[in-house]
PDB file of all heavy atoms in Angstrom:
ATOM      1  N   CYS H 151      98.422 104.707 115.918  1.00  0.00           N
ATOM      2  CA  CYS H 151      98.387 105.223 114.541  1.00  0.00           C
ATOM      3  C   CYS H 151      98.530 104.085 113.532  1.00  0.00           C
ATOM      4  O   CYS H 151      97.832 104.060 112.514  1.00  0.00           O
ATOM      5  CB  CYS H 151      99.488 106.253 114.331  1.00  0.00           C
ATOM      6  SG  CYS H 151      99.169 107.817 115.156  1.00  0.00           S
ATOM      7  N   ALA H 152      99.424 103.151 113.800  1.00  0.00           N
ATOM      8  CA  ALA H 152      99.613 102.015 112.894  1.00  0.00           C
ATOM      9  C   ALA H 152      98.345 101.174 112.812  1.00  0.00           C
ATOM     10  O   ALA H 152      97.943 100.743 111.721  1.00  0.00           O
ATOM     11  CB  ALA H 152     100.799 101.167 113.364  1.00  0.00           C
ATOM     12  N   ILE H 153      97.689 100.946 113.934  1.00  0.00           N
ATOM     13  CA  ILE H 153      96.452 100.161 113.947  1.00  0.00           C
ATOM     14  C   ILE H 153      95.363 100.862 113.143  1.00  0.00           C
ATOM     15  O   ILE H 153      94.656 100.240 112.343  1.00  0.00           O
ATOM     16  CB  ILE H 153      95.997  99.899 115.404  1.00  0.00           C
ATOM     17  CG1 ILE H 153      96.953  98.916 116.068  1.00  0.00           C
ATOM     18  CG2 ILE H 153      94.556  99.388 115.450  1.00  0.00           C
ATOM     19  CD1 ILE H 153      96.745  98.761 117.565  1.00  0.00           C
ATOM     20  N   VAL H 154      95.230 102.175 113.324  1.00  0.00           N
ATOM     21  CA  VAL H 154      94.217 102.945 112.587  1.00  0.00           C
ATOM     22  C   VAL H 154      94.510 102.910 111.094  1.00  0.00           C
ATOM     23  O   VAL H 154      93.611 102.689 110.275  1.00  0.00           O
ATOM     24  CB  VAL H 154      94.147 104.393 113.121  1.00  0.00           C
ATOM     25  CG1 VAL H 154      93.334 105.282 112.191  1.00  0.00           C
ATOM     26  CG2 VAL H 154      93.562 104.412 114.518  1.00  0.00           C
ATOM     27  N   LEU H 155      95.772 103.118 110.712  1.00  0.00           N
ATOM     28  CA  LEU H 155      96.120 103.132 109.291  1.00  0.00           C
ATOM     29  C   LEU H 155      95.931 101.757 108.654  1.00  0.00           C
ATOM     30  O   LEU H 155      95.415 101.649 107.531  1.00  0.00           O
ATOM     31  CB  LEU H 155      97.569 103.607 109.109  1.00  0.00           C
ATOM     32  CG  LEU H 155      97.811 105.082 109.420  1.00  0.00           C
ATOM     33  CD1 LEU H 155      99.289 105.407 109.344  1.00  0.00           C
ATOM     34  CD2 LEU H 155      97.014 105.964 108.475  1.00  0.00           C
ATOM     35  N   ILE H 156      96.321 100.716 109.336  1.00  0.00           N
ATOM     36  CA  ILE H 156      96.120  99.364 108.802  1.00  0.00           C
ATOM     37  C   ILE H 156      94.629  99.079 108.667  1.00  0.00           C
ATOM     38  O   ILE H 156      94.176  98.524 107.662  1.00  0.00           O
ATOM     39  CB  ILE H 156      96.825  98.316 109.694  1.00  0.00           C
ATOM     40  CG1 ILE H 156      98.332  98.439 109.533  1.00  0.00           C
ATOM     41  CG2 ILE H 156      96.342  96.901 109.367  1.00  0.00           C
ATOM     42  CD1 ILE H 156      99.137  97.607 110.522  1.00  0.00           C
ATOM     43  N   GLY H 157      93.851  99.491 109.658  1.00  0.00           N
ATOM     44  CA  GLY H 157      92.405  99.284 109.590  1.00  0.00           C
ATOM     45  C   GLY H 157      91.781 100.036 108.433  1.00  0.00           C
ATOM     46  O   GLY H 157      90.924  99.502 107.723  1.00  0.00           O
ATOM     47  N   ARG H 158      92.237 101.250 108.224  1.00  0.00           N
ATOM     48  CA  ARG H 158      91.623 102.077 107.186  1.00  0.00           C
ATOM     49  C   ARG H 158      92.054 101.668 105.786  1.00  0.00           C
ATOM     50  O   ARG H 158      91.247 101.637 104.864  1.00  0.00           O
ATOM     51  CB  ARG H 158      91.979 103.533 107.424  1.00  0.00           C
ATOM     52  CG  ARG H 158      91.375 104.431 106.391  1.00  0.00           C
ATOM     53  CD  ARG H 158      91.505 105.855 106.723  1.00  0.00           C
ATOM     54  NE  ARG H 158      90.833 106.605 105.671  1.00  0.00           N
ATOM     55  CZ  ARG H 158      90.520 107.831 105.732  1.00  0.00           C
ATOM     56  NH1 ARG H 158      90.799 108.491 106.819  1.00  0.00           N
ATOM     57  NH2 ARG H 158      89.930 108.437 104.748  1.00  0.00           N
ATOM     58  N   PHE H 159      93.323 101.389 105.595  1.00  0.00           N
ATOM     59  CA  PHE H 159      93.811 101.144 104.235  1.00  0.00           C
ATOM     60  C   PHE H 159      93.945  99.669 103.860  1.00  0.00           C
ATOM     61  O   PHE H 159      94.178  99.364 102.708  1.00  0.00           O
ATOM     62  CB  PHE H 159      95.167 101.841 104.045  1.00  0.00           C
ATOM     63  CG  PHE H 159      95.049 103.334 104.067  1.00  0.00           C
ATOM     64  CD1 PHE H 159      95.522 104.065 105.157  1.00  0.00           C
ATOM     65  CD2 PHE H 159      94.442 104.012 103.032  1.00  0.00           C
ATOM     66  CE1 PHE H 159      95.407 105.439 105.185  1.00  0.00           C
ATOM     67  CE2 PHE H 159      94.327 105.392 103.057  1.00  0.00           C
ATOM     68  CZ  PHE H 159      94.805 106.110 104.140  1.00  0.00           C
ATOM     69  N   VAL H 160      93.786  98.770 104.813  1.00  0.00           N
ATOM     70  CA  VAL H 160      93.882  97.349 104.480  1.00  0.00           C
ATOM     71  C   VAL H 160      92.620  96.595 104.901  1.00  0.00           C
ATOM     72  O   VAL H 160      91.981  95.930 104.082  1.00  0.00           O
ATOM     73  CB  VAL H 160      95.133  96.712 105.141  1.00  0.00           C
ATOM     74  CG1 VAL H 160      95.182  95.221 104.877  1.00  0.00           C
ATOM     75  CG2 VAL H 160      96.401  97.378 104.643  1.00  0.00           C
ATOM     76  N   ALA H 161      92.245  96.691 106.165  1.00  0.00           N
ATOM     77  CA  ALA H 161      91.131  95.879 106.661  1.00  0.00           C
ATOM     78  C   ALA H 161      89.790  96.312 106.065  1.00  0.00           C
ATOM     79  O   ALA H 161      88.992  95.453 105.658  1.00  0.00           O
ATOM     80  CB  ALA H 161      91.078  95.954 108.186  1.00  0.00           C
ATOM     81  N   ARG H 162      89.509  97.602 106.012  1.00  0.00           N
ATOM     82  CA  ARG H 162      88.227  98.058 105.472  1.00  0.00           C
ATOM     83  C   ARG H 162      88.074  97.681 103.996  1.00  0.00           C
ATOM     84  O   ARG H 162      87.025  97.155 103.599  1.00  0.00           O
ATOM     85  CB  ARG H 162      88.082  99.563 105.670  1.00  0.00           C
ATOM     86  CG  ARG H 162      86.669 100.044 105.369  1.00  0.00           C
ATOM     87  CD  ARG H 162      86.480 101.524 105.587  1.00  0.00           C
ATOM     88  NE  ARG H 162      86.734 101.876 106.982  1.00  0.00           N
ATOM     89  CZ  ARG H 162      87.012 103.110 107.396  1.00  0.00           C
ATOM     90  NH1 ARG H 162      87.071 104.092 106.527  1.00  0.00           N
ATOM     91  NH2 ARG H 162      87.215 103.363 108.654  1.00  0.00           N
ATOM     92  N   PRO H 163      89.081  97.912 103.150  1.00  0.00           N
ATOM     93  CA  PRO H 163      88.931  97.469 101.745  1.00  0.00           C
ATOM     94  C   PRO H 163      88.750  95.958 101.627  1.00  0.00           C
ATOM     95  O   PRO H 163      87.983  95.483 100.778  1.00  0.00           O
ATOM     96  CB  PRO H 163      90.230  97.917 101.082  1.00  0.00           C
ATOM     97  CG  PRO H 163      90.710  99.051 101.916  1.00  0.00           C
ATOM     98  CD  PRO H 163      90.281  98.741 103.310  1.00  0.00           C
TER      99      PRO H 163
END
Side-chain angles (χ1 to χ4, degrees):
C151 288
I153 290 170
V154 168
L155 290 174
I156 289 171
R158 180 170 182 166
F159 292 108
V160 176
R162 191 179 299 160

